[in-house]
Amino acid sequence: MEIKEVTSEEAEDIQKEEPEKVLRKSDRILDNAKENLSPNEIAKVDEILQSLQRDVNCLHDGTRFAKRKALERIRAQTSAKLEQGVLSGLFAGLCKPLLTLFHDSIEKCRETSVTMVTEITAQMTDIEAYLPYIVPMCVMRLGQREIVEPSEEIRQLILELLIQIISLAPSEIPLYCQDIMLILVRTIDDPFAEVKKLSCTCLINLTRVAPRQFHTGANVLLNPLLHSISHQHQKVRTLVVRALGALLNNGDNKMIDDLITHLAQRTFDPCPPVREAVYEIVGGWMVTLMDRYSYFYKLLPLLMTGIEDEVPGIAVNSAEMFAAAGKQWEEENEQDIKDEKDFAAAAPVYYGVLEGVTRPRLGCRILVVRNISKILPGLLNDLNTWVDETRLKSVRLLYSLLLYSETSSTQHLEKILFALYKSCMEPGLASEIDKCTQTLAQFITPCYLETLCVDCSCWCFQCFPTPVRVTVHDDDAPVGVRSEVKVENVKSCEVKSRVGVSPQLCTSCLRVLSSLITGSQPDLLLPVVPELLDTICRPEVNESSHGPLYKELAAVVHSLINVLGKSVSDFSCQVFFLLLRLSSVNGEEEREEVENMFSLLASHQEITVDELYVRHAPTLVEQLNGQHKDWTRHSPDHGLFGELLLRSGKTCATIMPGIYSIFRDCTTKEKDPELRMSMFTLLGRLLREAPVTSEAVQQFSVYSVDIIKEIIIPNLEWRAGRTAGSVRCAAISSLWALLRSDLLTSKQLKQVQEELMAQLVSTLDDDNCATRLVTCNCFNFILKAGGKECFGPDELHKLYIELLKRLDDSSDELRIAVTNTFSTFFSLIPEDYDKQLYKAHLQALYRGLLIHLDDPNTVIQEAVYKVLEVAGKIHPEYLCEHIENVKHKHRSSLYCDKLLALFKQ
């Protein structure tokens, strides 16, 4: 509340009327005090009072300066060391004028008078007689509807005086408890931080000396404390929390409903002492609060939050307080838990994330089990709020609940998992949620898993909702029992349809699933692995386009391999399939992790990775053979197929029939051009890497002719458009890879020579420069490979005209490739070549080549010169004759002279 200064008239009325009314009875206080003094003490008191009489008079009628001087002289007398009797008598004589100054208009006088009363009473052993005057004066200054005292420092001094009075006269304080509470109601809301702190301290002390009287009016202090619990000063917040603890211990338990939310907010306080104060008072309530059994479900979350506090000391203290509460509960309910103690099941074996954790005592576990159903709804709601700190605290509390509730947590499995799905992908929560899920997995029992869902017996289907889920009810079954009766025998059936699983939800489910697997015991996990693998092998899981999903899928597979160990060999094929899928979609950074999992899978089966491929690749290719006709460029299985071929190595020898049929069907004219280009790219890489073993070479060699006839040649046919040109380029590149891999024998080449050469002649004139270049290289290779056995004069004569055209190509690289082909071409001319019969062909060749001997590019000139060196040996006279005819037209006669010198010898 806002503290306002009262008006001057109000202050004057209070000063003149109320103090006089209160102090009217103090006129005989000196006489009463002298009755207990000795004659010497009385004489000493009278002497001092006589010397101070003028100063006392100045306190009433003096000026500001005179009052201050008078107070200084009086303070000097009272500060001297005096006997208790003398001091008591002296204060009796000065009590009225000093207390009257509590309402003086001069701030310095009020401050000095309060300080003097505090100093004098601190030296006295018996102040009970003065309380009827001191306490009302304090109430008049601080306990009014609007606080009369405007000075923060003086309000602080008055509260210090009250605290001192409570400690000096605890037996008399119950009489004044209500008066002091009037003051505290106002001062707890004071804007001055020091006043707030002193008010809280005064409240705590008051509850200790007057608990019964405090109880009757404690409720009025609740709201002021709640207003101050979020104060900016951490010391104020700490004292307010402790004051709330004292208030509830000595007030009405119903207040807990109002203050529990405020205390919960303080568990997020950045200051450790504030959080520690919360946990301490809650731990105390767990043991001492009246009717605490009714409030355990509200107190447990606060105290268990402290068990996971980031400050180790606070966490240890909170755990000890909870253990003390659990021990007390065991003692109070010893008969009820006798059977649980005598026939307790064996303690669970902690491993993984719980390794090294001490099992909580029985009383603590029972308290959590009995209250978890009330705690979870709010907790799971907070787990998915937008405030990061709230989510973090919630997931840490959830871990504690799972640890303490053990197998009882499976009753709430579906709700817990659903909340974890929604929050597990938050960066700051991932590790904490992994801890929760691994803890949860350690307490899931097989019997519970079998009844968890009608259509499966494992929790993996909790992670991936099926498109249609059926809940079956048997009317003859006991109430609350789910009966697994066949559908045809069911009298009523409820069907709940679900929409398809979104990639984001699927990713979250995989994250949770990997942690559940990591925290599971292998012997309990093994029976549910088949259903689990069937689930994660679904198309919506491993054929998604959502990138993050594959990272979590890799984590699931890795967890499976690690947990199952050697037992993974029973599921090796499906795990192999998943790893291959991951390898086909991941980038280079993730591939290393997948490679390690391949090695781990193979090592558990005591085989090599190559043997792993030999074992499973045929099965996988067989599965793909039934699906490949519907592939597109972006089909996930297309990527899987490519990854299998590129990694299989020598395994290709065993799967070549299936590979060939897939390539053949996926490169037909009806297929998507992008798919055909992709398949040719894959085929090219495969052919280049095929000669790994003799078995692979042999298998590829068997299919080489079919590959050329049924796959490559049909795709070399000309069709309009850039896309068709790209397909031809990919096809000719595959042919080039096949030729360079030495998989085609001369005998096989002769089988396809006529058809292949005819098609190559057309692609030599393709619009795509790369296609023309590769075609020229193919010509060169085929000529070398076929030799004079495959290429006679008639076959050669059909080729040279096309090659001469390519010497005019725009690409110098291609022109050089043509000169290399011409060199091979002339080397195949037989020795018995009929020069006269084929004179026209020779002349055409010589004329065409001599034109380019004068090319502006010196590299081309040199290449053509080398060709003519070979060509001139066939008929030197014809060549020299043509050189003489064109020599004078050349920019330089250097190469002409060289050739003439060479062939005229």
Side-chain angles (χ1 to χ4, degrees):
M1 66 180 272
E2 183 181 358
I3 296 180
K4 300 188 297 184
E5 255 187 83
V6 296
T7 63
S8 58
E9 291 126 356
E10 291 173 335
E12 187 177 353
D13 291 341
I14 293 173
Q15 288 176 345
K16 289 181 178 179
E17 296 179 7
E18 293 184 353
E20 291 297 332
K21 182 178 180 181
V22 171
L23 297 174
R24 191 174 298 146
K25 298 179 180 180
S26 67
D27 293 338
R28 294 187 53 79
I29 192 171
L30 178 61
D31 296 337
N32 295 335
K34 287 181 178 180
E35 292 178 359
N36 300 321
L37 301 180
S38 65
N40 292 334
E41 291 175 334
I42 293 174
K44 181 68 173 176
V45 169
D46 290 338
E47 180 184 350
I48 296 175
L49 288 176
Q50 183 65 35
S51 65
L52 295 176
Q53 186 60 50
R54 185 173 181 280
D55 295 321
V56 171
N57 294 336
C58 289
L59 294 180
H60 292 285
D61 303 321
T63 63
R64 178 190 301 263
F65 180 77
K67 286 182 180 182
R68 290 180 60 184
K69 288 296 183 181
L71 282 171
E72 290 175 2
R73 286 190 290 270
I74 294 173
R75 187 175 186 182
Q77 287 290 340
T78 58
S79 299
K81 291 185 177 180
L82 300 173
E83 297 177 359
Q84 278 294 319
V86 176
L87 183 62
S88 177
L90 182 60
F91 184 59
L94 298 174
C95 177
K96 181 175 180 179
L98 289 178
L99 292 176
T100 301
L101 287 179
F102 276 29
H103 298 275
D104 197 88
S105 61
I106 303 172
E107 180 177 327
K108 186 63 178 177
C109 293
R110 297 199 306 275
E111 179 182 350
T112 305
S113 63
V114 174
T115 303
M116 289 178 63
V117 171
T118 303
E119 292 174 350
I120 294 171
T121 54
Q123 302 176 53
M124 298 174 62
T125 57
D126 186 9
I127 64 169
E128 287 81 357
Y130 307 100
L131 294 183
Y133 314 108
I134 297 176
V135 174
M137 288 296 111
C138 295
V139 173
M140 290 179 194
R141 298 306 294 173
L142 302 181
Q144 306 300 318
R145 183 180 297 276
E146 299 291 342
I147 294 180
V148 178
E149 178 54 62
S151 171
E152 295 174 343
E153 290 77 8
I154 297 177
R155 296 201 297 271
Q156 178 181 347
L157 291 174
I158 293 175
L159 284 170
E160 290 174 351
L161 173 61
L162 285 174
I163 293 172
Q164 178 177 288
I165 288 173
I166 292 172
S167 63
L168 292 176
S171 60
E172 295 295 321
I173 291 300
L175 298 174
Y176 305 97
C177 181
Q178 297 300 318
D179 292 332
I180 296 175
M181 290 174 70
L182 283 175
I183 295 175
L184 295 180
V185 168
R186 309 299 176 200
T187 55
I188 288 174
D189 257 343
D190 197 284
F192 187 35
E194 292 301 321
V195 173
K196 284 180 176 290
K197 291 191 285 187
L198 289 171
S199 300
C200 293
T201 303
C202 184
L203 185 153
I204 295 170
N205 294 344
L206 185 62
T207 59
R208 293 171 182 166
V209 300
R212 293 180 59 187
Q213 292 75 13
F214 183 88
H215 176 83
T216 58
N219 289 354
V220 298
L221 296 172
L222 179 61
N223 285 335
L225 287 172
L226 295 182
H227 292 162
S228 303
I229 197 170
S230 58
H231 194 272
Q232 60 183 350
H233 291 179
Q234 58 103 347
K235 289 185 178 179
V236 172
R237 298 195 301 273
T238 303
L239 283 170
V240 168
V241 169
R242 296 192 182 280
L244 281 171
L247 178 67
L248 187 61
N249 284 333
N250 297 274
D252 188 351
N253 283 359
K254 294 180 180 179
M255 287 190 293
I256 199 170
D257 296 323
D258 298 321
L259 62 84
I260 200 72
T261 302
H262 296 271
L263 289 179
Q265 292 174 349
R266 289 307 99 209
T267 61
F268 298 95
D269 199 288
C271 181
V274 178
R275 300 197 304 274
E276 185 175 17
V278 172
Y279 304 141
E280 285 181 1
I281 67 167
V282 172
W285 290 343
M286 291 282 291
V287 175
T288 62
L289 188 68
M290 296 296 293
D291 196 24
R292 56 187 175 276
Y293 281 49
S294 303
Y295 298 104
F296 274 150
Y297 73 98
K298 294 186 176 182
L299 301 178
L300 275 173
L302 298 183
L303 185 56
M304 295 185 73
T305 299
I307 296 175
E308 293 299 315
D309 195 273
E310 51 265 30
V311 179
I314 296 178
V316 171
N317 291 339
S318 300
E320 290 175 351
M321 287 186 287
F322 190 27
K327 180 181 179 181
Q328 177 176 308
W329 189 92
E330 291 177 26
E331 295 170 352
E332 293 171 350
N333 300 271
E334 186 174 0
Q335 292 300 320
D336 295 340
I337 61 173
K338 187 175 185 303
D339 291 343
E340 294 187 43
K341 281 188 173 183
D342 295 341
F343 306 102
V349 178
Y350 289 162
Y351 55 92
V353 71
L354 295 182
E355 188 172 357
V357 176
T358 304
R359 189 188 190 193
R361 65 179 305 130
L362 178 62
C364 297
R365 301 200 307 272
I366 294 177
L367 281 174
V368 171
V369 170
R370 293 189 177 184
N371 293 279
I372 190 171
S373 60
K374 299 177 182 177
I375 298 172
L376 271 180
L379 172 63
L380 298 181
N381 184 60
D382 289 343
L383 190 60
N384 294 292
T385 187
W386 62 273
V387 183
D388 293 341
E389 192 174 3
T390 301
R391 292 201 304 266
L392 183 60
K393 288 282 186 181
S394 299
V395 73
R396 288 177 175 172
L397 175 57
L398 178 60
Y399 162 73
S400 295
L401 289 174
L402 295 175
L403 176 63
Y404 280 80
S405 62
E406 295 186 348
T407 56
S408 298
S409 61
T410 55
Q411 301 175 35
H412 314 281
L413 182 60
E414 188 170 2
K415 295 178 182 178
I416 295 173
L417 288 179
F418 185 73
L420 294 179
Y421 301 154
K422 295 173 65 177
S423 57
C424 68
M425 298 310 292
E426 297 293 336
L429 297 182
S431 59
E432 297 292 339
I433 287 181
D434 287 346
K435 189 176 178 182
C436 284
T437 49
Q438 291 178 32
T439 302
L440 181 63
Q442 296 194 24
F443 298 118
I444 296 177
T445 58
C447 62
Y448 178 75
L449 296 177
E450 291 175 0
T451 59
L452 188 60
C453 185
V454 171
D455 56 350
C456 71
S457 61
C458 68
W459 37 255
C460 67
F461 283 98
Q462 288 280 8
C463 293
F464 298 100
T466 53
V468 177
R469 186 169 179 177
V470 181
T471 305
V472 178
H473 306 279
D474 185 2
D475 295 342
D476 298 327
V479 176
V481 176
R482 176 182 287 171
S483 180
E484 299 187 15
V485 183
K486 293 182 180 180
V487 174
E488 55 268 22
N489 296 331
V490 174
K491 299 180 181 179
S492 64
C493 180
E494 176 189 1
V495 179
K496 296 180 180 179
S497 298
R498 293 189 178 182
V499 296
V501 183
S502 69
Q504 292 76 16
L505 177 59
C506 192
T507 303
S508 301
C509 293
L510 285 171
R511 176 67 189 234
V512 174
L513 182 58
S514 65
S515 296
L516 285 171
I517 294 171
T518 301
S520 299
Q521 298 183 42
D523 54 336
L524 298 182
L525 178 65
L526 199 58
V528 302
V529 170
E531 289 86 354
L532 189 150
L533 286 173
D534 288 342
T535 301
I536 61 177
C537 286
R538 293 179 184 177
E540 61 264 30
V541 179
N542 63 68
E543 296 182 9
S544 173
S545 59
H546 188 56
L549 183 146
Y550 290 104
K551 179 181 178 182
E552 304 307 331
L553 181 59
V556 171
V557 177
H558 192 266
S559 300
L560 266 178
I561 296 174
N562 281 334
V563 173
L564 293 179
K566 292 186 177 180
S567 300
V568 78
S569 58
D570 297 335
F571 317 100
S572 179
C573 187
Q574 284 178 294
V575 175
F576 173 81
F577 162 77
L578 289 169
L579 290 178
L580 206 58
R581 175 77 74 191
L582 291 170
S583 181
S584 67
V585 298
N586 282 332
E588 292 297 328
E589 296 182 1
E590 293 82 4
R591 283 178 180 268
E592 184 177 354
E593 181 183 355
V594 176
E595 290 290 342
N596 293 335
M597 285 192 278
F598 269 117
S599 301
L600 188 60
L601 178 62
S603 65
H604 283 319
Q605 301 176 65
E606 299 180 352
I607 58 176
T608 64
V609 175
D610 288 339
E611 291 172 329
L612 193 67
Y613 276 90
V614 172
R615 181 176 296 181
H616 299 305
T619 303
L620 184 55
V621 170
E622 184 179 351
Q623 293 176 357
L624 294 176
N625 250 317
Q627 307 166 4
H628 69 282
K629 293 184 180 180
D630 296 325
W631 285 357
T632 66
R633 167 67 180 85
H634 303 288
S635 296
D637 282 346
H638 169 254
L640 178 68
F641 175 69
E643 190 68 21
L644 174 64
L645 295 190
L646 297 178
R647 297 169 59 96
S648 56
K650 64 181 181 180
T651 312
C652 289
T654 62
I655 59 177
M656 192 59 202
I659 290 176
Y660 170 74
S661 65
I662 292 176
F663 272 113
R664 181 192 60 206
D665 295 339
C666 290
T667 54
T668 59
K669 300 175 184 178
E670 296 77 16
K671 289 295 182 181
D672 175 25
E674 287 189 355
L675 174 64
R676 291 156 64 193
M677 284 189 289
S678 175
M679 294 300 291
F680 277 120
T681 301
L682 179 60
L683 178 60
R685 291 184 59 184
L686 182 63
L687 292 171
R688 286 193 298 272
E689 300 171 8
V692 177
T693 63
S694 58
E695 294 86 353
V697 172
Q698 183 179 359
Q699 285 292 328
F700 271 97
S701 181
V702 170
Y703 285 91
S704 294
V705 173
D706 293 330
I707 289 174
I708 293 174
K709 283 187 174 183
E710 299 187 19
I711 297 177
I712 295 177
I713 290 179
N715 285 279
L716 291 178
E717 295 178 3
W718 187 88
R719 290 180 184 80
R722 292 185 179 181
T723 303
S726 299
V727 173
R728 289 195 299 275
C729 184
I732 197 66
S733 298
S734 298
L735 176 62
W736 177 234
L738 175 61
L739 296 175
R740 293 183 62 188
S741 299
D742 295 327
L743 299 175
L744 194 68
T745 64
S746 58
K747 183 178 179 181
Q748 290 173 322
L749 179 60
K750 199 163 186 178
Q751 297 177 27
V752 296
Q753 175 182 330
E754 183 177 354
E755 188 178 358
L756 180 59
M757 292 297 287
Q759 195 61 56
L760 289 179
V761 167
S762 69
T763 55
L764 194 58
D765 197 28
D766 198 273
D767 295 335
N768 191 325
C769 179
T771 303
R772 300 195 303 271
L773 177 60
V774 176
T775 301
C776 189
N777 290 333
C778 289
F779 270 126
N780 191 20
F781 192 93
I782 292 172
L783 290 173
K784 287 181 180 179
K788 296 179 181 180
E789 295 180 3
C790 295
F791 294 96
D794 292 337
E795 288 78 9
L796 295 174
H797 292 160
K798 295 177 183 178
L799 179 60
Y800 76 85
I801 297 175
E802 301 299 328
L803 292 177
L804 284 175
K805 292 179 183 179
R806 291 303 100 211
L807 283 176
D808 292 319
D809 200 276
S810 59
S811 170
D812 287 342
E813 183 182 4
L814 175 58
R815 297 169 68 196
I816 293 174
V818 172
T819 60
N820 294 332
T821 305
F822 265 120
S823 297
T824 305
F825 175 91
F826 285 114
S827 68
L828 297 180
I829 299 295
E831 295 178 359
D832 58 351
Y833 185 74
D834 192 338
K835 302 173 185 178
Q836 292 300 323
L837 180 61
Y838 302 124
K839 180 179 179 180
H841 294 295
L842 288 174
Q843 289 177 345
L845 281 167
Y846 288 157
R847 279 196 301 269
L849 290 171
L850 285 172
I851 291 173
H852 297 284
L853 189 63
D854 191 39
D855 196 272
N857 191 334
T858 56
V859 177
I860 301 296
Q861 290 180 14
E862 183 68 28
V864 173
Y865 171 76
K866 292 180 180 179
V867 173
L868 288 172
E869 280 184 327
V870 179
K873 295 177 182 180
I874 300 173
H875 204 309
E877 294 80 5
Y878 283 172
L879 179 58
C880 290
E881 180 182 343
H882 283 84
I883 291 173
E884 292 291 352
N885 292 335
V886 300
K887 177 181 178 181
H888 64 280
K889 299 178 183 180
H890 287 199
R891 298 178 182 85
S892 172
S893 61
L894 175 62
Y895 289 107
C896 292
D897 292 338
K898 284 185 177 182
L899 289 171
L900 289 173
L902 179 63
F903 291 112
K904 280 187 176 182
Q905 293 179 357

